[in-house]
Amino acid sequence: MRVNVHVNGVRETVDDVWEGESLLYLLRERMGLPGSKNACEQGECGSCTVYLDGVPACSCLVAAGQAHERSVRTVEGLATHADGSADRLDPVQQAFVEAGAVQCGFCTPGLIVQAHDLIERNPEPTDAEIREALAGNLCRCTGYEKILDAVRVAARRKAAAR
């Protein structure tokens, strides 16, 4: 089957997609976008989180064919600006780097997408709201404090920029 999908603002066509292929596989293996990680393949860890039509979704649970004629934004696409350039990181990405919230990096893409979504919906989240938003993302390296610090920093910066 042929799948036409808008990925990070660019219309892409992928041929010979088999019916059981996941959106995660399509993104990583066929389109060369390795940001979303393949960990549990059950939607439990959040490492493969992407935006699907503006809503966070575990790409391991979405059949590639379900993304036909839809919009996908990956962690790579967060650094892409309206003019198509990718010359700087999104404030959430930058805050994760600065706060030391990136350790092995496996969970980081999903956490960044989820944190980005939270801050877009709620520019000044409380700690409880941050924890709730990130509850579907598992990190095996940290005690989560640096991740929470990064989300707080990103929220403050985005609020100041508004």
Side-chain angles (χ1 to χ4, degrees):
M1 113 176 77
R2 172 176 281 174
V3 174
N4 297 315
V5 60
H6 299 268
V7 179
N8 299 329
V10 177
R11 183 179 166 90
E12 302 280 352
T13 299
V14 182
D15 288 319
D16 300 321
V17 175
W18 60 281
E19 289 139 9
E21 194 167 310
S22 70
L23 176 58
L24 176 61
Y25 186 88
L26 184 87
L27 293 168
R28 287 182 58 81
E29 306 303 326
R30 294 182 175 260
M31 300 178 91
L33 294 168
S36 303
K37 302 299 184 220
N38 185 0
C40 73
E41 294 185 12
Q42 297 176 1
E44 295 292 326
C45 71
S47 294
C48 67
T49 303
V50 299
Y51 282 109
L52 181 60
D53 290 337
V55 178
C58 290
S59 60
C60 71
L61 297 179
V62 177
Q66 290 177 294
H68 183 66
E69 297 300 341
R70 295 177 75 184
S71 174
V72 175
R73 191 171 182 198
T74 67
V75 69
E76 292 96 339
L78 295 182
T80 303
H81 306 288
D83 65 358
S85 69
D87 60 344
R88 60 183 154 79
L89 295 175
D90 179 86
V92 177
Q93 293 168 316
Q94 188 63 44
F96 266 70
V97 172
E98 291 172 5
V102 178
Q103 288 195 12
C104 84
F106 214 78
C107 66
T108 307
L111 282 163
I112 287 173
V113 171
Q114 199 65 49
H116 183 272
D117 180 65
L118 168 66
I119 295 168
E120 289 297 308
R121 290 182 294 103
N122 180 358
E124 297 180 30
T126 65
D127 281 359
E129 291 167 330
I130 295 169
R131 289 177 190 276
E132 176 72 23
L134 301 182
N137 296 78
L138 300 178
C139 177
R140 292 173 176 90
C141 295
T142 72
Y144 292 94
E145 197 55 43
K146 291 191 181 294
I147 293 166
L148 296 173
D149 289 345
V151 178
R152 291 180 197 114
V153 166
R156 280 195 303 271
R157 286 182 182 162
K158 281 197 165 194
R162 291 179 199 250

